Amino acid sequence: MYKIKFLPTGHVFILPEIEAKKLKENSPGEYQILEKNGKKFKDKMNKSKPEDSKSILSKILED
């Protein structure tokens, strides 16, 4: 069983491994895995940079 957190609302769910992995694959930025089989897990999150269209820096730098 996996304990995952839905980041936009902060709700925590306990789900079977298959369902938790499906959710994480489909929307990795919205879910964070907190525990795997009762053991704490440090989930790496991809931080998205807010793009400011008025900034010249965003036009110069490429990801």
Side-chain angles (χ1 to χ4, degrees):
M1 299 298 273
Y2 279 38
K3 185 183 278 188
I4 63 169
K5 182 177 184 179
F6 184 58
L7 296 175
T9 61
H11 290 97
V12 177
F13 302 97
I14 298 175
L15 299 172
E17 179 179 355
I18 297 168
E19 293 299 320
K21 285 185 178 182
K22 257 191 233 180
L23 289 173
K24 184 69 177 172
E25 287 175 5
N26 291 337
S27 51
E30 293 185 357
Y31 292 95
Q32 179 182 16
I33 298 174
L34 301 175
E35 290 184 9
K36 285 185 176 183
N37 300 322
K39 296 180 182 177
K40 290 187 180 183
F41 179 75
K42 188 170 184 179
D43 193 13
K44 296 178 183 174
M45 299 295 298
N46 294 335
K47 295 183 179 179
S48 61
K49 299 175 186 175
E51 187 173 320
D52 186 10
S53 61
K54 296 179 183 178
S55 171
I56 188 128
L57 184 61
S58 66
K59 295 177 183 177
I60 296 172
L61 296 179
E62 294 181 46
D63 289 334

